[in-house]
Amino acid sequence: ILRVFDIGGEGGRFFVATELLPQSLEINLEFSGQMSFGQASRLSADIANGVAAAHEKGLLHSGLSPHNILVGTDGVGKVGDFAGAAISRPAGRLPYFSSGQATGNPTMQASDIYSLGTLLYHMLAGQPPFPVTDPRKLLTAHAQLSGHFEQTSR
């Protein structure tokens, strides 16, 4: 998980000061297209460890996407942007939504795990699991695939 140094606000504007990492997974994927199995498995393990640490503290991410996975110069990935957890509603990007998020149901640990799976798929394939641009078709695809997973993971 990305280290947070300070949280504050002034004049109705709020900030979170975190460690600075050079790039996001999103930029990495845009540049390289896809990753080797070794790179993807190491980065997925980093993400899984961060998500597990959050879950152990009772915190859900609710918005995992390549945008909020930051990668250090050492190749270590860190999970950032827990805004979805802070506002208690889904805050992710549609290509990485679980069926629960897509249908407006409360997010749960299984939602984060499903999103992690979509990230791994994207890292290995070079594109999200459902390269569909129509939001309704995209949400339907996630609902059909992940509905069973979330029902059995409660």
Side-chain angles (χ1 to χ4, degrees):
I1 297 178
L2 194 63
R3 282 183 290 173
V4 175
F5 298 118
D6 195 14
I7 299 174
E10 189 173 311
R13 299 190 78 171
F14 298 93
F15 69 87
V16 178
T18 66
E19 66 182 305
L20 180 62
L21 295 178
Q23 66 178 293
S24 67
L25 176 58
E26 181 176 53
I27 291 170
N28 191 315
L29 289 170
E30 284 176 13
F31 180 72
S32 66
Q34 66 189 80
M35 299 178 159
S36 70
F37 180 79
Q39 288 175 307
S41 61
R42 284 188 298 276
L43 192 53
S44 293
D46 294 340
I47 299 165
N49 287 332
V51 169
H55 288 177
E56 287 173 8
K57 300 288 185 188
L59 186 64
L60 301 174
H61 190 282
S62 303
L64 288 174
S65 74
H67 176 75
N68 53 40
I69 305 301
L70 301 173
V71 184
T73 55
D74 57 359
V76 174
K78 295 195 177 189
V79 180
D81 190 4
F82 278 80
I87 58 177
S88 299
R89 71 171 201 259
R93 295 181 179 197
L94 292 182
Y96 311 96
F97 258 32
S98 67
S99 65
Q101 291 171 291
T103 58
N105 290 322
T107 56
M108 59 185 94
Q109 289 181 354
S111 303
D112 284 347
I113 295 166
Y114 180 86
S115 294
L116 173 58
T118 64
L119 289 173
L120 177 58
Y121 183 97
H122 191 161
M123 286 184 263
L124 292 171
Q127 67 182 19
F130 306 108
V132 178
T133 56
D134 181 307
R136 289 180 199 184
K137 289 180 181 177
L138 184 58
L139 294 175
T140 299
H142 280 294
Q144 289 175 343
L145 181 62
S146 68
H148 175 73
F149 171 72
E150 288 191 357
Q151 290 294 324
T152 59
S153 298
R154 292 181 186 215

